[in-house]
Amino acid sequence: MAIDTHTHISDERFDGDRDEVIKRYRSAGVETIFEILCEQKLWDKGFELAKTKDIWTAFAIHPHEAKTATNADFEKLKKIICSDKCIAVGETGLDYHYNLSPQNEQKDVFRKQIEISIDAKKPIIVHCREAYKDTLEILRDYSFECGGVIHSFEGSFMEAKTFIDMGFVIGICSAITFKKSGDLKEVVSRIDGSKILAETDCPYRSPQKFRGQRSEPAFVVEVIKEIANIKNISYLEAETMTTQNAIKLFL
């Protein structure tokens, strides 16, 4: 059974059919999803979703939201990540593509959440978009005994190797299925299978087969198929591999 390690079904785009989305991923053979609540306004929604037996949660403040973060938010985060079925702090990190929050504020908020994750002994889910150098500089200041994942990775093999050497695994999302994803395919080909997680990041960026549609957890099957193709292994082997990697890191 597959695990989608990064979903956002709390997003308002699922408000009209969330229950049907859950039924579809179960029918597709997806056993568990990890729901990522990275906007403060959605944290309480995460507790409701966690009542569903096959949904686990992670809480954080996304770099887009860094400029809105308050001391009260950090204090609340410290409490809610200790809740039942919370598997990680995330996603947090740096996003220099959109720069919706000033970079200095992103860095400060990122550091605070790293420290929260370390104190709570939870893995961390890292968002890094066009910010490799600064992300690496920050991560090198800490030791991650509980590990973490570089979410929705789209960097080079050497960048992936650097993160792996620091104790992180690599989150592979639907971009791996795109026609113009040669560099990412090379990364998946060259890194050890034990360092790969499968994710959709739904509702964002559907796999090639479903381009133009809202993404959803059932589509993680397409990601796993492509990982299997690149690794020259069976779908079942790729599914087992990515599932065991997720269990080892988060559960």
Side-chain angles (χ1 to χ4, degrees):
M1 300 292 282
I3 295 179
D4 185 348
T5 61
H6 201 107
T7 70
H8 299 283
I9 66 168
S10 53
D11 188 278
E12 62 183 8
R13 278 167 279 192
F14 293 103
D15 285 351
D17 65 343
R18 190 170 289 107
D19 289 342
E20 294 303 311
V21 167
I22 292 172
K23 290 177 183 177
R24 282 197 292 273
Y25 77 66
R26 290 172 178 166
S27 296
V30 179
E31 179 180 31
T32 302
I33 68 170
F34 297 161
E35 174 66 7
I36 313 302
L37 293 308
C38 51
E39 295 180 59
Q40 301 94 308
K41 67 182 181 181
L42 295 177
W43 287 350
D44 290 341
K45 205 169 187 176
F47 290 108
E48 289 302 311
L49 285 169
K51 292 177 182 178
T52 305
K53 64 178 182 179
D54 47 10
I55 298 178
W56 297 73
T57 57
F59 299 91
I61 301 168
H62 194 280
H64 291 343
E65 308 299 321
K67 63 186 177 185
T68 70
T70 65
N71 288 334
D73 290 332
F74 292 118
E75 291 305 311
K76 182 174 181 178
L77 183 61
K78 290 176 185 178
K79 294 177 182 178
I80 62 177
I81 62 169
C82 296
S83 61
D84 292 343
K85 297 187 74 179
C86 175
I87 48 100
V89 174
E91 67 191 274
T92 177
L94 305 177
D95 191 310
Y96 294 174
H97 179 76
Y98 290 108
N99 277 318
L100 296 185
S101 287
Q103 292 182 8
N104 63 322
E105 293 186 25
Q106 291 188 44
K107 292 177 186 178
D108 180 58
V109 169
F110 185 23
R111 284 185 179 277
K112 286 179 178 177
Q113 291 178 92
I114 289 173
E115 290 161 9
I116 288 171
S117 74
I118 290 172
D119 288 344
K121 294 181 170 55
K122 297 273 187 177
I124 190 161
I125 300 167
V126 177
H127 176 108
C128 174
R129 189 166 187 187
E130 298 178 19
Y132 170 76
K133 181 177 178 293
D134 284 355
T135 299
L136 191 59
E137 184 177 305
I138 290 172
L139 293 179
R140 280 178 168 154
D141 286 341
Y142 301 92
S143 177
F144 296 91
E145 294 182 8
C146 295
V149 55
I150 308 300
H151 151 64
S152 192
F153 183 81
E154 291 189 58
S156 68
F157 167 72
M158 289 308 300
E159 290 172 348
K161 184 178 184 301
T162 301
F163 286 128
I164 289 169
D165 289 345
M166 295 176 68
F168 289 87
V169 297
I170 304 299
I172 301 299
C173 71
S174 301
I176 193 65
T177 68
F178 298 168
K179 294 176 181 178
K180 296 181 179 180
S181 60
D183 291 345
L184 186 55
K185 286 178 168 61
E186 180 191 6
V187 170
V188 172
S189 174
R190 294 179 67 183
I191 66 176
D192 191 274
S194 65
K195 305 302 180 182
I196 297 173
L197 299 184
E199 57 180 53
T200 60
D201 198 21
C202 66
Y204 310 105
R205 294 196 302 177
S206 288
Q208 185 70 39
K209 182 178 178 179
F210 301 102
R211 290 298 290 271
Q213 300 181 36
R214 176 197 66 183
S215 186
E216 56 183 73
F219 296 173
V220 78
V221 169
E222 298 301 316
V223 176
I224 298 172
K225 285 179 182 177
E226 188 60 28
I227 292 171
N229 181 56
I230 294 168
K231 286 291 193 185
N232 195 28
I233 58 178
S234 70
Y235 175 83
L236 180 58
E237 288 173 308
E239 180 187 72
T240 301
M241 176 183 77
T242 54
T243 296
Q244 288 179 343
N245 294 343
I247 291 171
K248 181 180 179 181
L249 177 61
F250 292 115
L251 299 176

